[in-house]
Amino acid sequence: MASLSTPLISLPRHPNSSSPTFSTDLRFSSHPALSLIDQCTSIKQLKQVHAQMLRTGVLFDPYSASKLITASALSSFSSLDYARQVFDQIPQPNVYTWNTLIRAYASSSDPAESILVFLDMLDHCSECPDKYTYPFAIKAASELRALQVGRGFHGMAIKASLGSDIYILNSLVHFYGSCGDLDLARRVFMKTPKKDVVSWNSMITVFAQGNCPQEALELFKEMEAENVKPNDVTMVSVLSACAKKVDLEFGRWVCSHIQRNEIKENLTLNNAMLDMYVKCGSVDDAKRLFDRMPEKDIVSWTTMLDGYAQLGNYEEAWRVFAAMPSQDIAAWNVLISSYEQSGKPKEALAVFNELQKSKSPKPDEVTLVSTLAACAQLGAIDLGGWIHVYIKKQVMKLNCHLTTSLIDMYAKCGDLDKALEVFNSVERRDVFVWSAMIAGLAMHGQGRDALEFFSKMLEAKVKPNAVTFTNVLCACSHTGLVDEGRTFFYQMEPVYGVVPGIKHYACMVDILGRSGNLDEAVELIEKMPIPPTASVWGALLGACKLHGNVVLAEKACSHLLELDPRNHGAYVLLSNIYAETGKWDEVSGLRKHMRDAGIKKEPGCSSIEVNGSVHEFLVGDNSHPLCKEIYSKLDEMALRLKSNGYVPNKSHLLQFVEEEDMKDHALILHSEKLAIAFGLISLSPSQPIQVVKNLRVCGDCHSVAKLISKLYDREILLRDRYRFHHFRDGHCSCNDYW
């Protein structure tokens, strides 16, 4: 009990405090302590009033008790623990008091307690739950996504003859939508007899948040036709639907509609308009709105930052970042994730390093997931491992998002054992954790192990999704498991309920094509229920290169370029096929066509991490500080390779080079060879040389890496766009099935 020796509020003593009455008494409705409740600004002050109410007996009056409960549970300085202590002191709480506690818990971080209080009410309250009780209980079920519990409340409300109450029905629409049952939400909405603006708002919000933006916009139009006047809540949901649908035209109409109907703009509504403009790609509209906004918060600034970052206008993004009143972690995350997602992992890690130097704010889960993805792209295992240690030191909960990111990072950085260690260290594994582990095994050419993990996943009662099957089919592709791949592909829909998509067809074409079943691959493409995309024809083209089928390659390339005329990869593959069959005139013709059309081959880029620093090399690169030493090592490598019978495979040159010695020179300057040379001079003999390349490794570099691993007695891990190649003693883990 709080001491009253130095009260913050002067409390008059009740004249009859020596003989309090515990029944409802009109005297208590005007007791001075009750008016003081409204003046309290802290729990400390409220406890003083509580003490006076106990001494005078006012607390035992139901009305007075409910007023104290309301202040302790719902005020700006509320304390639910204290509210519960007060509640437990009341002999017979009335319905209003029960409702207040149920409401407070429903909006708290522990909504499950709200449901427990509701159940206590059924046992201990002399009155039944009323039309105010159910909306609060349903809100708690909504927060918990407890579908069966909420349906139980729905049934109880109907039995209590409250099934037509507008507040309860509106709560049910929101509840079913939160649980992902949009059909039930719509049915409740349709059966609502007299819909108010909250009814329409609830259903529009359900559609907007449930990835049904078109339905949300259509319902808004119906609302307009019914002459129901929208409010700011309506417009926030409609703008969200426009953003998800990327419908800038209708979004602009909505913004003008807000002004025409004199809907009062507030910060939330302005931020929704800002978000719509940014997600629809109109940063200019967003900037005009941003400049005239009378009030801005961190959401406003972060939205503008995100808009410029997503467009790749990092110069303007950094200006916004610097102008922000304060940079919270969300702002840092925008920069890190946008760099990572746009294929600029080195820049993402640079921003993360700046964040670390700033000391504040601390990285959160989003920061670490994005940074781990950047580490995975670059093969930066030192920094990735540091983040893993950081997670442990900060005692951060290793949830499924972080687990998946760590497994992906370790697998892509070449440490499959560490990836398995992370996988085995967690108890909860969702479909993405399992899929990441299957992908890691597939990437390292351990197809059989990947399929074994898939079996274990099914035993654990985890339902596979589309990503899982992409990884399973990749595992079959990388290890030549044709029959297994065929079986999984044709079982996807009938057995597992996963409809094959473009990625699955591309994988299946790759499996069939690599194994030489080109006719079956073509037949599969012709029978596809969806139009084949460039990736499908690209898989067939790659198979044609493997088996030297020029006629089919030309057909596949023609289809591919029809869909994607500027696909440089198609030209490179066809050029290599022509080169391998000695058709140098065709190679030269392709090169000329690319030059005339302004189509440039994506430059090969290889990276290698040494002592925590990532070093990048382009083909023929001479910008590295150790350039002289690297090229000296390359010359040494070339001599040792030649003396051991190595003959360059000149078919892997896109351009037509007449002089034989220039062809040899062009091949030795491939980016992965430069990275390997740098690794040889920078890493101790016991350290593996780990190289990451942005493109598929060419056949000549593959042969060179095998020989170097033998001649220099080094372990080399080379990750290209599709998989890992683990070279040791002149052999590769892919068994040349790459």
Side-chain angles (χ1 to χ4, degrees):
M1 195 67 64
S3 171
L4 297 177
S5 57
T6 54
L8 297 179
I9 300 176
S10 180
L11 294 171
R13 190 171 178 80
H14 194 278
N16 297 324
S17 60
S18 59
S19 55
T21 176
F22 300 134
S23 60
T24 303
D25 195 320
L26 290 176
R27 293 175 302 160
F28 295 135
S29 64
S30 59
H31 192 282
L34 299 187
S35 63
L36 289 173
I37 289 175
D38 297 329
Q39 299 175 34
C40 291
T41 58
S42 68
I43 284 293
K44 185 175 182 180
Q45 292 176 346
L46 195 65
K47 284 181 178 180
Q48 292 177 15
V49 178
H50 180 193
Q52 179 70 4
M53 291 173 73
L54 276 170
R55 289 207 313 273
T56 60
V58 178
L59 182 65
F60 302 101
D61 171 64
Y63 170 75
S64 304
S66 66
K67 197 167 176 65
L68 181 63
I69 281 286
T70 302
S72 58
L74 301 176
S75 67
S76 59
F77 53 86
S78 63
S79 167
L80 263 176
D81 290 339
Y82 177 59
R84 187 58 185 263
Q85 290 172 19
V86 173
F87 180 84
D88 290 340
Q89 290 178 352
I90 303 171
Q92 291 181 323
N94 60 18
V95 173
Y96 178 85
T97 307
W98 283 99
N99 287 351
T100 301
L101 198 61
I102 293 168
R103 174 187 176 186
Y105 276 120
S107 301
S108 75
S109 59
D110 187 16
E113 194 64 30
S114 177
I115 295 171
L116 295 177
V117 174
F118 176 86
L119 296 175
D120 283 343
M121 180 184 182
L122 296 179
D123 287 338
H124 300 110
C125 185
S126 58
E127 301 172 75
C128 294
D130 61 15
K131 65 178 182 179
Y132 301 107
T133 315
Y134 285 105
F136 302 140
I138 292 166
K139 175 179 169 60
S142 177
E143 293 294 323
L144 293 166
R145 308 291 190 266
L147 182 60
Q148 295 308 315
V149 174
R151 292 188 75 165
F153 292 151
H154 189 175
M156 291 173 70
I158 292 171
K159 286 182 180 178
S161 301
L162 296 171
S164 298
D165 181 80
I166 188 69
Y167 299 108
I168 293 174
L169 290 170
N170 289 345
S171 298
L172 285 167
V173 169
H174 173 73
F175 160 71
Y176 285 120
S178 297
C179 291
D181 198 330
L182 273 61
D183 289 337
L184 264 178
R186 186 198 280 269
R187 280 163 58 187
V188 172
F189 172 77
M190 295 302 292
K191 289 180 180 178
T192 302
K194 293 182 180 179
K195 302 177 183 70
D196 61 7
V197 67
V198 177
S199 310
W200 290 93
N201 287 351
S202 298
M203 196 65 233
I204 291 170
T205 302
V206 163
F207 280 137
Q209 294 179 349
N211 291 320
C212 296
Q214 183 60 41
E215 288 82 349
L217 298 182
E218 288 172 1
L219 193 61
F220 171 67
K221 292 171 185 175
E222 284 182 40
M223 180 183 181
E224 291 275 284
E226 292 287 334
N227 293 317
V228 180
K229 188 176 180 180
N231 58 18
D232 59 327
V233 177
T234 320
M235 307 319 289
V236 167
S237 293
V238 171
L239 287 164
S240 172
C242 292
K244 288 186 177 179
K245 195 169 179 282
V246 196
D247 191 340
L248 179 60
E249 184 180 351
F250 193 72
R252 282 174 172 160
W253 180 88
V254 171
C255 292
S256 62
H257 183 77
I258 291 168
Q259 294 174 339
R260 285 197 309 271
N261 287 268
E262 297 181 348
I263 296 173
K264 188 176 180 181
E265 291 185 20
N266 53 41
L267 182 58
T268 302
L269 184 54
N270 280 332
N271 281 342
M273 288 191 279
L274 207 60
D275 181 68
M276 181 277 296
Y277 282 134
V278 163
K279 286 181 177 169
C280 290
S282 183
V283 179
D284 291 340
D285 280 330
K287 183 68 165 63
R288 281 190 289 271
L289 171 62
F290 182 81
D291 288 341
R292 69 174 177 81
M293 282 171 61
E295 181 188 2
K296 303 178 183 75
D297 63 1
I298 193 66
V299 174
S300 320
W301 285 95
T302 305
T303 302
M304 283 306 304
L305 175 63
D306 189 42
Y308 285 118
Q310 293 304 322
L311 286 178
N313 188 346
Y314 290 105
E315 184 178 348
E316 199 61 42
W318 278 107
R319 280 203 194 99
V320 172
F321 184 81
M324 292 175 74
S326 63
Q327 292 100 2
D328 69 352
I329 194 59
W332 287 94
N333 288 346
V334 165
L335 290 170
I336 294 171
S337 63
S338 64
Y339 274 129
E340 183 272 316
Q341 291 170 12
S342 61
K344 297 177 182 289
K346 203 168 185 179
E347 289 82 350
L349 297 188
V351 176
F352 180 76
N353 287 334
E354 287 299 313
L355 171 62
Q356 291 298 97
K357 289 177 187 175
S358 71
K359 305 291 183 184
S360 178
K362 289 174 65 175
D364 63 8
E365 179 190 323
V366 176
T367 321
L368 300 179
V369 166
S370 297
T371 307
L372 285 168
C375 292
Q377 284 189 54
L378 279 174
I381 194 168
D382 286 354
L383 179 56
W386 181 90
I387 291 173
H388 191 184
V389 172
Y390 177 86
I391 291 169
K392 291 177 180 177
K393 283 186 176 178
Q394 297 296 316
V395 198
M396 295 178 72
K397 185 181 178 183
L398 201 59
N399 59 26
C400 290
H401 285 114
L402 282 171
T403 303
T404 302
S405 299
L406 283 169
I407 290 170
D408 181 66
M409 181 276 296
Y410 279 124
K412 286 180 177 174
C413 289
D415 197 337
L416 195 57
D417 290 339
K418 198 70 178 176
L420 285 163
E421 183 184 311
V422 172
F423 179 86
N424 291 324
S425 71
V426 295
E427 292 182 8
R428 185 170 177 267
R429 304 179 186 116
D430 66 4
V431 64
F432 297 103
V433 173
W434 282 98
S435 299
M437 198 62 247
I438 291 168
L441 291 163
M443 191 188 307
H444 283 263
Q446 298 187 22
R448 295 283 182 193
D449 291 336
L451 299 190
E452 187 179 334
F453 262 75
F454 179 73
S455 298
K456 289 179 180 177
M457 175 182 173
L458 298 178
E459 290 171 11
K461 307 297 183 188
V462 177
K463 186 180 179 182
N465 62 12
V467 175
T468 316
F469 278 105
T470 299
N471 298 341
V472 166
L473 293 172
C474 282
C476 295
S477 173
H478 292 325
T479 42
L481 302 174
V482 182
D483 292 337
E484 291 85 345
R486 194 186 283 116
T487 299
F488 282 122
F489 179 79
Y490 287 109
Q491 284 182 346
M492 281 179 64
E493 189 171 4
V495 177
Y496 302 101
V498 179
V499 179
I502 283 296
K503 288 184 178 179
H504 306 108
Y505 277 99
C507 283
M508 197 61 221
V509 168
D510 191 54
I511 290 169
L512 295 171
R514 283 174 182 274
S515 60
N517 295 298
L518 292 173
D519 291 339
E520 188 180 349
V522 171
E523 186 181 350
L524 178 66
I525 294 173
E526 290 172 348
K527 291 181 178 179
M528 280 177 63
I530 48 179
T533 61
S535 62
V536 175
W537 291 111
L540 183 63
L541 182 59
C544 291
K545 177 186 177 299
L546 196 63
H547 298 286
N549 192 322
V550 178
V551 175
L552 188 55
E554 290 174 334
K555 178 184 176 183
C557 190
S558 175
H559 282 291
L560 198 163
L561 293 174
E562 196 175 304
L563 294 167
D564 186 4
R566 302 190 66 79
N567 189 309
H568 59 84
Y571 288 103
V572 172
L573 272 174
L574 187 59
S575 169
N576 288 341
I577 293 169
Y578 283 146
E580 286 177 358
T581 52
K583 297 188 175 185
W584 290 104
D585 288 341
E586 284 82 351
V587 172
S588 184
L590 277 177
R591 180 67 176 173
K592 183 178 184 302
H593 176 77
M594 288 179 70
R595 188 167 54 249
D596 293 344
I599 300 169
K600 293 185 178 180
K601 176 184 178 293
E602 181 182 355
C605 177
S606 296
S607 60
I608 179 172
E609 186 181 38
V610 174
N611 298 326
S613 297
V614 176
H615 302 259
E616 289 184 338
F617 296 91
L618 298 173
V619 61
D621 202 337
N622 58 10
S623 61
H624 196 278
L626 296 179
C627 177
K628 186 176 179 181
E629 291 86 344
I630 292 169
Y631 276 85
S632 175
K633 178 59 74 172
L634 274 175
D635 290 340
E636 176 198 307
M637 286 162 54
L639 286 172
R640 291 190 66 175
L641 287 167
K642 189 173 183 179
S643 64
N644 280 270
Y646 161 72
V647 178
N649 186 344
K650 294 153 192 171
S651 67
H652 294 287
L653 290 171
L654 173 62
Q655 67 272 31
F656 177 60
V657 183
E658 292 185 2
E659 293 83 359
E660 290 297 313
D661 59 337
M662 286 181 66
K663 289 182 183 180
D664 294 352
H665 187 65
L667 282 169
I668 201 66
L669 297 183
H670 278 192
S671 63
E672 53 266 62
K673 290 173 182 145
L674 291 169
I676 290 171
F678 177 66
L680 287 171
I681 64 174
S682 304
L683 297 168
S684 67
S686 61
Q687 290 179 281
I689 298 170
Q690 295 190 192
V691 177
V692 176
K693 186 174 183 182
N694 63 330
L695 304 175
R696 186 169 185 160
V697 61
C698 77
D700 184 72
C701 288
H702 188 267
S703 300
V704 166
K706 280 201 297 184
L707 271 171
I708 288 174
S709 71
K710 182 179 181 180
L711 296 174
Y712 288 84
D713 190 24
R714 298 297 293 264
E715 182 183 6
I716 301 172
L717 283 92
L718 175 55
R719 190 189 96 202
D720 66 13
R721 180 174 282 181
Y722 300 100
R723 63 166 300 160
F724 259 99
H725 302 272
H726 191 169
F727 302 98
R728 188 76 184 177
D729 298 325
H731 299 284
C732 180
S733 59
C734 71
N735 295 318
D736 294 333
Y737 195 84
W738 56 282

